[in-house]
Every structure is written in structure tokens, then in C-alpha cells.
């Protein structure tokens, strides 16, 4: 079975207009865990996610997936605001499958199955854009999940949602991980990080200051920047 | 200033009487302009979308040119198409001059920049929202273009209406390439021009009012469709 | 929703696929003629007499004489029917036509405002009238569009001994337009204008204008018909075009021309030589 891991970032930097957003990032993700990236606003969390996913090209360093330069397709990125096309929820999920080259007759079936997994089968034929924020985000997750990703990136996936919706989304993330996908996500919500993370990567001014198993991090972080961050933030 | 009320009553009379020649002229106007917009859209809409989504050399120059060509006077377009279709011109052997087909071609050329420019703007706005997600899902430029065109279909429908409005209201292009031949290439605008030049102002005004009413009706239909779509599909 | 969508599509299909008049478009000729002839209403009256028995549709493209001849030079018409003998002779000399034949004549009339600032009303001499207009610098509208009427107007200024280039001033308004639009302009400006009787009789927006000078032999306006030369333009519909010309020169055709009247008044006088 072909594996895309480990994901290795070496000397990654991102400085689009000479202003360094990321610098000297060395990271190795073996796969299997739920990794949460924490950091203050502007620390570069979203940019790091996009660089890892392949949406942004780093200005320095390289990314290797299992020692290969080619970017694997078995990965997804879920954004803070779900992007829904003007079509039904089912069609939105099927769209991802279509782009992945799945044959027409199988798309509908697989899409419906994905919606069922996130608990939205009853909304399959509803126009996606009239769904609530939480429902749309779950459709986005279903869309990513239907593609059977080995790794799923999530950029502040519940930041725009109310607590109930956020909880249902968190549950889906847990389910996706349980089904075998590695999860890498960013969040501002420390309670969410506590609930979901196996390990924490702390980003400060574009650099990784520490990478610590979650329980240890919240009990006693290693870096001063992380300590300051935890003291300043409300859980 | 009795012309305006005279025109109104003449208009009502014509419409109520369902004058056969009037119906033919209206039908021809609609046929020509609708065909022109549809024909033009087949090329202009994908082009506009490509300008918004694509990344190729000369994209900015092409965008500026298309925006500029929106201001092409109808007579100039008519003249250029005439030179093209004239027997002495490159497409002469097709024998298209002074036929409704020539009028469709001229109007299609006329509205193409408008359709392309507005499509580009519409798609660009949508692209801003969709770009990252679509790249994430691995969409090619071609796939993204097609998806965006379909997703913005209601806005594009309005764009096409704008094109239709421009087409059905112009007289310069169809006059030159059509020849305003009675019973063959006479449309509403050329009839209005003819009646005006014959000094029959009430009749010209009547036709003008009918033309306005027609365009308003079509636009009202479009507005209702758009509002209904917005409610149902978000 | 599908019902709405289907009916919209159906309407669209009907409109685009044709509800217009069904002509046997196989047989038709294109005749380049003048706006004055078109706007006099002659063709509307005359053509059915030919079209019905022959089954040949006559499609008239109405432009100024100069433009009509240019159209024919490019091969975009089968027959020309205009009123500028000098331009027609030039057209023939260039080898663009088969044979020029005279069809009918009408006359020009000098139109002017009822209050007549140049005091020309009732006169019978066009030269005298034009001299008075130039001397008094009264507003005069010219077609300025290389039409037969325009050519006639320029000829008459020359006969009156007036050098327009020297004498031109704000009083002389060169509009570059057809007969009808020029008349509209003259009506709004209360100006003098030379017009063909046919267009004038059919013109509805007279306001303060009326005929001020008529009857001068020099206001005679000759119409000619020419078949475009198939040797130069092989696609010209020679047989059908010739059929039309033969008909209009025949007794039936000539009589039909004479029968066209507005308010009981005959507009065109057939004078084909047989």
C-alpha cells in the first residue's frame, strides 16, 4: 500500500514581498495523529497550512511526501468559511469526486454515503447555500472525506460557527481521524485544542518554537512564547 | 408637442389591431437580436471566464481591449461587417449581405465585447471566493472556467439581457448590413428610422414605445427569474 | 419549476426558428435604389405588379445615388435604379453596367418657409431664386450625401453662377443625410431645401414649409435603370434582373408607374424609349 508519509518540510520559508511570514520551518509529520497548530494572530498558521497542502509555493526550502517531490492527491483542506457551489449538498460533494475522476454512476452513491457519515443525508437535495453554517461546514467535510484523504488539513474550521455547530463539526473531525486520516488543524479555540489534539505545534512570528504532546503542552509548555500565549488567552 | 400623445394612441392602435406587418417586424427584431446574443455568448462567455480565471501572456492587454471595444459605435461594426460580407470582400461568395443572417452576425460582433467584459467581472468576483477551494480540490483551469460559468449562471443571464438590450436597440449595424429591405430585413429600429425620415413622427414614436415596452417586459421577466432563483438556490 | 423552464425554452425556440414571412427565397433580385424613390412610396405600390406574376421577389436597398452605385460597383446588387445621369454615365464608362435605360422622370421643387425671408415664393426661375437665397444668406439645407438630389442641387447652384466654396457660410447647412431627414432638419430650422416632388408629397412633418418654386425645366429629374455587368460580377442574377428591367420598361410597367398617385397627384412620369 502506497503511503504519502512522512511529510517532511525542510528549511521552509515564505516571504512573498520580502516580508518573512514563515522562516526556517523544519517539520516532519509521520501520520496517524491529530496535530493542532497554535499561535497568535499573524503567526503564520494559515500560511503554513496552505504551504503544506500545496496551495502556496514556499519561497525557500522543500517539501517531500515520502521522499517524493510530487504532491499527492489524497489530501484535503477545509477552510474556515465553507465554499459551497450553487447546487445541492449532494452535488457539492459529488463535485469533488468528479474532479478526482470518479465515474458518473459511482459519484452519486459515494457522495450520499459521505453525507450519511456526517449525518446530513436528509439534506442531500437541499441547495447547499441555504444550509446553516455548521451544516455547510459538514458538507465541506463530507466533500473532503469522500475523496478518502490520507491527511486532512483544517484551517480554523469552527471559527465562524456557534458552539453547537462547532461540536458537531468536531465530532466529524474525530470520525474522519478514526477512519484513518491524519488530521492537521489550526484553531484559536484552546478548549477545542484540548479536546482534539494529540500534539501541539506552536508557531510564533513564522517560526516553530515547540512541538509537544498535547497534555504536556497545556500543563507546562516548553517555550516562553507559548507560556505567554496560554496565559493571555482564555480557554 | 402633440406628437407624444398621438404616438401613444397610434401605438395602442397598432398593438390592438395586431397589424400583420408590425408583428412580422417585431418577430424579426426578436429573432435577430436573440440569435445574435446566443451566438455571441457561445464565444464571449467562455472568453470572459478565461480572462478571469486564466493566467496567460497578454491577458491584461486583451482585457483592456475588450473593455474598450464595448464602446464601438454600431455603425462602425456595421461597416466592418459589411466590408467582410460584401461581394467584393473576403466572405462575399457566401452571399450573406442583406439577409437576416448578416444582421445576426453584425449584432453578435457588436455585443461580444460587452458580454465578455461583464462575464469577466462576474466570474472574477466569484473566483475570488472559490479559487482556493477549487485549487485545493485539484481543478484545472478548464474545469474551473466551466464550473464558474455554471455557478454564476443567474448573473450571466442578466449579462446576456444587457447584451440583448444593446442589440435590439441598435440601428447603425443592421441598417448597413441588412439594407432595411421591406419584408426581409426591416426590424423595429430601422422602421423607426425610416418613418422618422418620412416625417411620420407619430408612427415612429408608436413603434418606439412598443420597442421600449417589449424590452421592459423582457427585463421584468429576467428580474423575477433572478429573484426566484436567489430565494431558492442562495 | 421544470414547467416554467420548459415553456421559456419553447418560446425561445419559436422565436429563433422563425415566425417571419415565408418568402420563396430562391428567386429574388437585389435592387439598389435611392432613398427619395423609396420614401415616395413608389416601390411599395409598384413592385407587387411585377412580383406576383413573375414570382421574383424584388429586394430594394435604399441609399443615396452615390452609395447605390458604389454598392453595385462592389457587386452587392443586381440592378441599380437611380437618378443622376452624370454619375450613371460614369458608372457605365467604368464598365460596371450592361446598358443604361431611361425609365421615368419627376421634378425637383424648391421648398421654403412660409414667411419666405428670401422672397422667392411663386417664382418660376430656379436660378433667380437661388441667387436671392445666397444674397440674403437665408438658411438653406443641403443633403450633402452624393445623392442624385444633391448632385442636382450642386448643378443648379453652378447654373445660377454661384461659387459655393466661396459663398458658403453658416446659412448653408450641409447635413449629409437622406431626403427625409434633410426635410426634417429644414422643417425644424425653417430653411429652404431642394427636394424631389415624390418625397415631398409623402412627407408628413412639414411644419411651416411649402413649395416656393416649381416648374422650371432645369428641375427635371431623370431616372435610369442599369443591370449590373455579369462579366464583372458573375454571381449577378442576370436573367431575373433583366426580366425586371424589361417589365419596368414595358407598357404594363410604365402604366403602373403613371398610376402611382398621392392625393390624386401623379408623382412620376414614365418616359422609357422604345
Amino acid at each position: 500500500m502506497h503511503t504519502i508519509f512522512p511529510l517532511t518540510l525542510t528549511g521552509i520559508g515564505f516571504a512573498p514581498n520580502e516580508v518573512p511570514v514563515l522562516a526556517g520551518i523544519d517539520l516532519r509529520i509521520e501520520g496517524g495523529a491529530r496535530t493542532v497548530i497554535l499561535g497568535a494572530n499573524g503567526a503564520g498558521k494559515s500560511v503554513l497550512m496552505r504551504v503544506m497542502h500545496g496551495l502556496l509555493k514556499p519561497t525557500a526550502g522543500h517539501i517531500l511526501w515520502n521522499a517524493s517531490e510530487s504532491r499527492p492527491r489524497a489530501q484535503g483542506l477545509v477552510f474556515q468559511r465553507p465554499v459551497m457551489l450553487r447546487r445541492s449538498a449532494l452535488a457539492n460533494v459529488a463535485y469533488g469526486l468528479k474532479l478526482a475522476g470518479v465515474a458518473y454512476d459511482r459519484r452519486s452513491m459515494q457522495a450520499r454515503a459521505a453525507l450519511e457519515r456526517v449525518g446530513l443525508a436528509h439534506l442531500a437535495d437541499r441547495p447547499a447555500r441555504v444550509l446553516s453554517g455548521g451544516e455547510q461546514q459538514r458538507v465541506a467535510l463530507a466533500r473532503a472525506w469522500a475523496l478518502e484523504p490520507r491527511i486532512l488539513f483544517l484551517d480554523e474550521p469552527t471559527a465562524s460557527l456557534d458552539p453547537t455547530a462547532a461540536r458537531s463539526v468536531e465530532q466529524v473531525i474525530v470520525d474522519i481521524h478514526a477512519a484513518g486520516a491524519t488530521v492537521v488543524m489550526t484553531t484559536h479555540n484552546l478548549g477545542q485544542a484540548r479536546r482534539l489534539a494529540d500534539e501541539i505545534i506552536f508557531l510564533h512570528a513564522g517560526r516553530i518554537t515547540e512541538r509537544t504532546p498535547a497534555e504536556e503542552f497545556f500543563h507546562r509548555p516548553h517555550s516562553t512564547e507559548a507560556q505567554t500565549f496560554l496565559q493571555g488567552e482564555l480557554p | 408637442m402633440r406628437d407624444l400623445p398621438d404616438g401613444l394612441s397610434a401605438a395602442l392602435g397598432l398593438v390592438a389591431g395586431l397589424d400583420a406587418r408590425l408583428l412580422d417586424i417585431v418577430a424579426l427584431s426578436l429573432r435577430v437580436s436573440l440569435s445574435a446574443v446566443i451566438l455571441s455568448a457561445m464565444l464571449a462567455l467562455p472568453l470572459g471566464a478565461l480572462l478571469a480565471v486564466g493566467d496567460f501572456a497578454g491577458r491584461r492587454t486583451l482585457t483592456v481591449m475588450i473593455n474598450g471595444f464595448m464602446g464601438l459605435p454600431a455603425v462602425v461594426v456595421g461597416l466592418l461587417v459589411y466590408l467582410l460580407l460584401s461581394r467584393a470582400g473576403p466572405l462575399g461568395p457566401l452571399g450573406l449581405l442583406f439577409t437576416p443572417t448578416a444582421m445576426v452576425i453584425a449584432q453578435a460582433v457588436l455585443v461580444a465585447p460587452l458580454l465578455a467584459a461583464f462575464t469577466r467581472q462576474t466570474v472574477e468576483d466569484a473566483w475570488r471566493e472559490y479559487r482556493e477551494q477549487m485549487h485545493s480540490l485539484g481543478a484545472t483551469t478548464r474545469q474551473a472556467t466551466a464550473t464558474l460559468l455554471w455557478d454564476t449562471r443567474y448573473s450571466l443571464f442578466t449579462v446576456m439581457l444587457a447584451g440583448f438590450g444593446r442589440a435590439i436597440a441598435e440601428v447603425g449595424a443592421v441598417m448597413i448590413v441588412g439594407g432595411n429591405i421591406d419584408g426581409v430585413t426591416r426590424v423595429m429600429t430601422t422602421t423607426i428610422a425610416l418613418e422618422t425620415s418620412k416625417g411620420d413622427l407619430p408612427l415612429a414614436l408608436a413603434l418606439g414605445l412598443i420597442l421600449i415596452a417589449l424590452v421592459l417586459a423582457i427585463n421584468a421577466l429576467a428580474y423575477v427569474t433572478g429573484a426566484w432563483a436567489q430565494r431558492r438556490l442562495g | 419549476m421544470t414547467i416554467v423552464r420548459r415553456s421559456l425554452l419553447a418560446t425561445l425556440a419559436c422565436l429563433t426558428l422563425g415566425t417571419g414571412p415565408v418568402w420563396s427565397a430562391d428567386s429574388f433580385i437585389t435592387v439598389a435604389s435611392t432613398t427619395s424613390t423609396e420614401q415616395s412610396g413608389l416601390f411599395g405600390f409598384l413592385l407587387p405588379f411585377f412580383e406576383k406574376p413573375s414570382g421574383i421577389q424584388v429586394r430594394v436597398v435604399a441609399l443615396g445615388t452615390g452609395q447605390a452605385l458604389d454598392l453595385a460597383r462592389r457587386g452587392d446588387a443586381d440592378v441599380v435604379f437611380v437618378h443622376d445621369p452624370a454619375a450613371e454615365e460614369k458608372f457605365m464608362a467604368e464598365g460596371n453596367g450592361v446598358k443604361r435605360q431611361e425609365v421615368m422622370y419627376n421634378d425637383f421643387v424648391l421648398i421654403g418657409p412660409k414667411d419666405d425671408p428670401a422672397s422667392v415664393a411663386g417664382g418660376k426661375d430656379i436660378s433667380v431664386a437661388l441667387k436671392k437665397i445666397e444674397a440674403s444668406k437665408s438658411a438653406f439645407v443641403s443633403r450633402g450625401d452624393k445623392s442624385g438630389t444633391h448632385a442636382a442641387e450642386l448643378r443648379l447652384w453652378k447654373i445660377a453662377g454661384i461659387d459655393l466654396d466661396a459663398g458658403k457660410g453658416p446659412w448653408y447647412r450641409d447635413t449629409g443625410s437622406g431626403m427625409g431627414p434633410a426635410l426634417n432638419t429644414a422643417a425644424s430650422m425653417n430653411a429652404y431645401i431642394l427636394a424631389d416632388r415624390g418625397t415631398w408629397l409623402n412627407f408628413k412633418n412639414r411644419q411651416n414649409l411649402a413649395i416656393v418654386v416649381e416648374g422650371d425645366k432645369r428641375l427635371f429629374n431623370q431616372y435610369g435603370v442599369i443591370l449590373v455587368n455579369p462579366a464583372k460580377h458573375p454571381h449577378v442574377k442576370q436573367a431575373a434582373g433583366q426580366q425586371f428591367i424589361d417589365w419596368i420598361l414595358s407598357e404594363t410597367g410604365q402604366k403602373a408607374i403613371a398610376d402611382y398617385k398621392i392625393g390624386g397627384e401623379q408623382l412620376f412620369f414614365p418616359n422609357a424609349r422604345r
Side-chain angles (χ1 to χ4, degrees):
Chain A
M1 187 172 139
H2 170 70
T3 179
I4 59 173
F5 294 106
L7 164 61
T8 328
L9 275 72
T10 323
I12 289 291
F14 187 74
N17 301 316
E18 317 272 293
V19 177
V21 179
L22 294 176
I25 303 277
D26 293 311
L27 188 57
R28 187 183 162 105
I29 295 184
E30 301 289 351
R34 296 203 295 252
T35 307
V36 174
I37 303 176
L38 287 179
N41 274 333
K45 306 192 294 293
S46 289
V47 175
L48 180 58
M49 291 280 269
R50 282 163 170 75
V51 167
M52 285 197 279
H53 181 50
L55 269 186
L56 287 175
K57 265 191 74 179
T59 50
H62 5 262
I63 303 178
L64 293 174
W65 293 85
N66 194 19
S68 161
E69 291 221 328
S70 60
R71 177 182 175 272
R73 292 212 93 192
Q75 51 167 318
L77 171 52
V78 172
F79 300 85
Q80 179 180 336
R81 277 180 223 288
V83 177
M84 295 287 117
L85 298 174
R86 273 185 186 81
R87 43 187 87 175
S88 71
L90 185 73
N92 265 278
V93 178
Y95 181 69
L97 292 167
K98 177 172 161 197
L99 289 182
V102 175
Y104 179 72
D105 41 343
R106 290 182 35 230
R107 266 184 248 155
S108 190
M109 201 182 65
Q110 291 184 10
R112 210 170 276 276
L115 281 176
E116 260 192 58
R117 292 201 290 268
V118 304
L120 290 179
H122 62 292
L123 295 176
D125 296 317
R126 207 67 82 71
R129 284 170 89 103
V130 311
L131 298 176
S132 74
E135 288 163 344
Q136 286 190 15
Q137 195 61 297
R138 281 191 280 158
V139 173
L141 283 163
R143 181 167 60 195
W145 199 353
L147 296 168
E148 291 166 17
R150 304 273 167 69
I151 180 168
L152 185 64
F153 296 99
L154 300 117
D155 190 13
E156 312 232 14
T158 60
S160 318
L161 305 178
D162 66 74
T164 323
R167 286 306 184 94
S168 51
V169 169
E170 281 180 19
Q171 186 56 52
V172 175
I173 296 173
V174 167
D175 292 340
I176 295 180
H177 176 252
T182 302
V183 168
V184 177
M185 65 181 273
T186 66
T187 185
H188 264 178
N189 186 333
L190 289 185
Q192 183 174 85
R194 268 192 235 261
R195 283 191 291 274
L196 296 181
D198 293 328
E199 64 168 357
I200 303 288
I201 293 176
F202 190 77
L203 208 60
H204 176 75
R207 288 178 185 278
I208 297 179
T209 58
E210 75 175 277
R211 184 179 182 181
T212 316
E215 226 181 283
E216 198 183 318
F217 180 84
F218 288 109
H219 183 59
R220 196 194 359 242
H222 296 168
S223 60
T224 33
E225 295 90 349
Q227 283 167 16
T228 323
F229 177 74
L230 283 178
Q231 278 154 15
E233 283 279 355
L234 298 162
Chain B
M1 271 314 291
R2 275 183 49 252
D3 288 324
L4 205 46
D6 281 351
L8 262 162
S9 48
L12 290 169
L14 279 174
V15 172
L18 287 179
D19 182 70
R21 289 182 70 188
L22 173 69
L23 289 178
D24 287 342
I25 289 173
V26 170
L28 184 64
S29 304
L30 289 173
R31 259 173 62 209
V32 168
S33 296
L34 277 173
S35 308
V37 170
I38 292 170
L39 179 67
S40 194
M42 296 199 294
L43 288 165
L45 259 51
L47 175 63
L50 213 67
L51 283 174
V53 171
D55 187 16
F56 50 90
R59 186 169 71 106
R60 238 168 279 177
T61 317
L62 194 55
T63 303
V64 171
M65 275 175 61
I66 284 178
N67 285 343
F69 284 157
M70 280 201 285
L72 263 181
V75 270
V76 173
V77 174
L79 182 60
L80 291 171
V81 177
Y82 167 73
L83 291 174
L84 209 65
L85 298 179
S86 164
R87 289 284 176 179
L91 297 180
L94 294 173
L96 289 174
L97 196 62
F98 303 139
T99 62
T101 309
M103 295 158 77
V104 171
I105 293 173
Q107 289 196 343
V109 170
L110 182 69
V111 303
L114 188 153
L115 294 178
F118 283 152
T119 299
R120 189 196 61 81
Q121 189 60 60
T122 304
V123 169
E124 197 176 83
D125 292 338
W127 185 232
R128 226 171 283 136
E129 185 193 341
Y130 291 168
R131 192 176 50 85
E132 282 197 315
Q133 180 70 79
M134 296 193 82
H135 277 152
S136 168
L137 290 171
T140 62
T141 304
R142 197 188 58 81
Q143 285 168 324
T145 308
T147 304
L148 282 165
L149 278 175
W150 177 246
D151 222 67
T152 55
R153 55 195 179 280
Y154 295 104
S155 299
L156 292 184
F157 182 55
T158 307
V159 168
M160 286 181 64
L161 270 182
F164 173 74
R166 176 99 162 91
I168 202 162
E170 73 86 22
V171 64
V174 288
M175 185 68 98
I176 297 181
V177 305
N180 196 19
I181 299 172
D182 193 13
V184 183
T185 55
R186 195 164 284 180
V187 291
M188 298 202 72
T189 48
T190 56
T191 308
I192 292 171
L194 178 62
E195 294 305 325
T196 307
S197 61
K198 278 158 77 172
D200 195 343
L201 302 185
L203 182 58
L205 209 51
L207 292 170
L209 290 169
I210 293 173
L211 179 59
I212 291 173
L214 206 61
V215 175
L216 279 175
I218 291 175
N219 276 278
L221 174 69
Y223 182 79
V224 166
T225 314
W228 167 88
Q230 180 71 21
R231 268 183 288 116
R232 279 209 71 239
L233 294 158
Chain C
M1 185 195 118
T2 32
I3 301 174
V4 175
R5 201 195 272 174
R6 272 204 213 118
S7 42
L8 277 172
L9 279 170
T11 321
L12 204 74
C14 280
L15 286 170
T16 47
L17 294 177
T19 49
V22 180
W23 270 103
S24 57
D26 311 310
S27 207
F28 69 89
I29 54 169
T30 306
V31 173
S33 187
T34 69
T35 50
S36 7
T37 336
E38 163 91 9
Q39 283 164 11
S40 67
L42 174 68
F43 288 127
F45 172 80
L46 187 69
L47 295 179
F49 290 114
F50 169 74
E51 287 174 328
K52 283 206 190 74
S54 69
I56 301 172
Q57 187 196 15
V58 178
R59 297 186 180 178
V60 175
V61 181
L63 310 154
T65 297
Q67 215 181 333
L69 290 170
D70 268 340
L71 200 78
R73 274 190 196 98
R74 302 173 60 86
D76 288 328
D78 304 305
V79 173
V80 283
F81 190 129
V82 295
H83 58 106
D84 184 355
E88 292 165 46
E89 293 298 345
K90 181 161 176 281
F91 183 79
M92 292 299 302
E94 290 163 352
N96 291 307
V98 172
K99 184 173 171 190
R100 178 186 173 271
Q101 285 161 292
E102 298 183 333
V103 184
M104 63 195 193
Y105 69 90
N106 72 347
D107 61 334
F108 293 114
V109 290
L110 183 68
I111 308 289
K114 289 202 180 105
D115 59 325
D116 196 20
S119 308
V120 297
K124 292 264 176 253
D125 189 321
I126 186 67
S127 285
V128 167
L130 288 179
K131 283 201 194 94
K132 280 189 181 170
I133 291 175
E134 196 260 344
S136 62
K137 305 277 181 249
S138 305
F140 183 91
V141 168
S142 166
R143 283 190 55 181
D145 64 343
K146 271 172 70 176
S147 59
T149 310
H150 183 223
E153 181 215 314
L154 294 177
R155 260 196 325 268
L156 292 167
W157 284 114
K158 228 171 167 190
I159 293 173
I162 294 170
D163 180 0
L164 266 183
D165 290 323
K168 218 184 270 195
W171 61 274
Y172 186 81
R173 284 114 202 241
D174 191 329
T175 60
S177 60
M179 194 71 255
L183 278 168
N184 274 328
T185 309
S188 316
M189 284 182 182
N190 250 359
Y192 291 95
I193 180 170
L194 188 74
D196 65 285
R197 191 185 293 274
T199 309
W200 172 253
L201 284 176
N202 217 13
F203 185 71
K204 296 193 177 66
N205 184 28
R206 294 178 186 183
Q207 297 186 39
N208 281 324
L209 298 181
I211 297 179
V212 291
V213 176
E214 58 182 320
D216 188 322
K217 279 221 165 56
R218 291 167 292 191
L219 291 173
F220 188 75
N221 181 28
Q222 176 68 51
Y223 285 76
V225 68
I226 307 172
L227 177 70
V228 175
N229 190 356
K232 250 195 173 181
H233 302 285
H235 61 267
V236 163
K237 295 175 182 165
Q238 195 179 359
Q242 191 59 54
Q243 203 179 332
F244 174 68
I245 293 175
D246 291 339
W247 176 83
I248 206 159
L249 298 175
S250 72
E251 257 192 66
T252 347
Q254 296 278 289
K255 180 177 179 303
I257 292 174
D259 282 342
Y260 182 56
K261 295 185 170 64
I262 293 184
E265 205 176 326
Q266 185 178 347
L267 264 66
F268 300 96
F269 299 87
N271 68 343
R273 253 166 280 175
R274 254 151 288 171

